[in-house]
Amino acid sequence: MTTATLVPARAEDSRIGLAGTMRHVGALTRRNLMRIKADPESMFDAVLMPIIFTVLFVYVFGGAMFAGDQDAYKQYMIPGLLGQTGMTLALAVGTGLNSDFQTGVMDRFRTLPIGRASVLLSKIVAEALRALISSAILLTFAFLLGFELKTGVPELLAAVGLSMVFGMSIVWISMLLGMSLKSAQAVQGVSMLVLMPLQFGSSIFAPTDTMPGWLQSFTKVNPLSALADASRALLNGQGAVAHPVMIVLIWSAAATAIFAPLAVARFRKRV
C-alpha cells in the first residue's frame, strides 16, 4: 500500500493543487470517453433523440400547428428543441454516476491519490462533449429538412453555447440525485418527473398563448421557455435576445451555485 492511499481525501485534495486536479480531470475524461467507445449504445440517446424528436413533432404534430404550415413550425420548434437538448442529456448523468457507486467503480477511485473533485468535473466535460455531438446532429438534420438560419454563424454558436451553459448547470442537479437515490432506476424515474413538466410546460413545442392561464403562469417562470425564446431570437432574428438570455444565465448561475456545493459535499461523504 502506498503512502498516498493512506492520506485522507480532503488532505489529498489540498496537496494535489489546481494543476494536478486538471490533469486528473483530463485522465478521467479520457476514461469516460473510452467507456463510450467500448459501449457505443450509450450514445444512442445523443444520436437518435434529436432525429426522433424532430420527425415526431414536425411531421406528426406540425400539421396541426400554425394552420398546417410545417415550414413555419420547423422555424418555431427546432430552435426550442436545440435549447433543451443539453438538459435532456444532462439528466442522464445521475443514472451513470449511481451505477458507478453500485458497481464499485468509486471504491477504486477512493484508493487513488486523485483530487476528488476531478471525478465530478470529468463527468461534466464528457457530458458537454456528448451535448455538442447531439446539437450538431440536430442542426444537421434540421438543415436537411429545410430549416433556415436567418441570422448567421455567430448567433448559431451563441445559441448552442447558451444551451450548453444551461445543460451543464443541470448536470449538478442530476449528479446530486444520482448520489442521493438508492438505484439507477429511481434516478431515471425522478429525472423524468422533473424533465417532462419542464419540457411540455414551456414554449418549446407550442406557443404559450394557447395554454390555460394557470399553465401560462408556470411557463413564464420556466427557464426552458426563456431558453427556447432566446434560441429562436438568435436563429430566426426575431424577438428580443437580451432579456431571455439574461434569464437563462441567471437560472444557470443559481442552479450551479446551489447544487454544485451540495453535490460535492455529498460526493465527499460517500467516498
Side-chain angles (χ1 to χ4, degrees), residues 9-235:
R10 294 183 181 181
E12 186 66 34
D13 284 348
S14 63
R15 289 179 52 189
I16 290 172
L18 179 61
T21 298
M22 291 301 100
R23 287 196 300 272
H24 297 156
V25 169
L28 291 173
T29 300
R30 287 193 296 271
R31 168 194 173 270
N32 291 331
L33 296 178
M34 290 300 293
R35 289 182 64 186
I36 293 175
K37 182 179 179 181
D39 181 23
E41 289 86 355
S42 63
M43 283 294 293
F44 278 1
D45 58 342
V47 173
L48 297 179
M49 183 187 66
I51 297 174
I52 293 173
F53 264 77
T54 303
V55 171
L56 178 65
F57 281 91
V58 170
Y59 294 108
V60 176
F61 301 107
M65 304 291 292
F66 293 87
D69 189 346
Q70 289 184 338
D71 290 334
Y73 188 61
K74 291 174 190 175
Q75 295 298 132
Y76 179 88
M77 188 273 295
I78 289 174
L81 190 59
L82 174 66
Q84 63 99 44
T85 297
M87 176 181 176
T88 304
L89 294 176
L91 286 174
V93 176
T95 303
L97 185 60
N98 185 279
S99 297
D100 285 344
F101 278 103
Q102 300 298 331
T103 56
V105 173
M106 292 303 172
D107 291 333
R108 294 175 58 191
F109 287 153
R110 186 184 295 118
T111 65
L112 298 175
I114 61 175
R116 296 302 184 259
S118 62
V119 178
L120 299 184
L121 291 175
S122 66
K123 288 190 173 293
I124 291 180
V125 174
E127 190 57 35
L129 294 175
R130 283 193 351 120
L132 280 175
I133 293 172
S134 185
S135 297
I137 292 172
L138 170 62
L139 290 171
T140 300
F141 189 65
F143 288 133
L144 290 175
L145 292 181
F147 176 78
E148 296 181 19
L149 177 61
K150 297 183 178 181
T151 51
V153 175
E155 290 82 1
L156 174 62
L157 295 177
V160 173
L162 190 65
S163 173
M164 294 283 294
V165 169
F166 182 74
M168 295 311 101
S169 70
I170 300 300
V171 170
W172 292 108
I173 302 176
S174 181
M175 290 194 293
L176 181 60
L177 288 174
M179 291 181 288
S180 301
L181 300 177
K182 292 184 178 181
S183 67
Q185 291 82 0
V187 177
Q188 187 176 22
V190 172
S191 297
M192 290 303 296
L193 288 175
V194 173
L195 178 62
M196 297 298 284
L198 289 177
Q199 275 186 325
F200 294 103
S202 72
S203 63
I204 292 177
F205 301 111
T208 59
D209 56 10
T210 63
M211 301 177 184
W214 61 269
L215 187 54
Q216 289 187 37
S217 300
F218 175 75
T219 63
K220 289 179 181 179
V221 297
N222 186 345
L224 283 184
S225 292
L227 185 55
D229 294 341
S231 296
R232 289 189 193 99
L234 288 167
L235 299 185

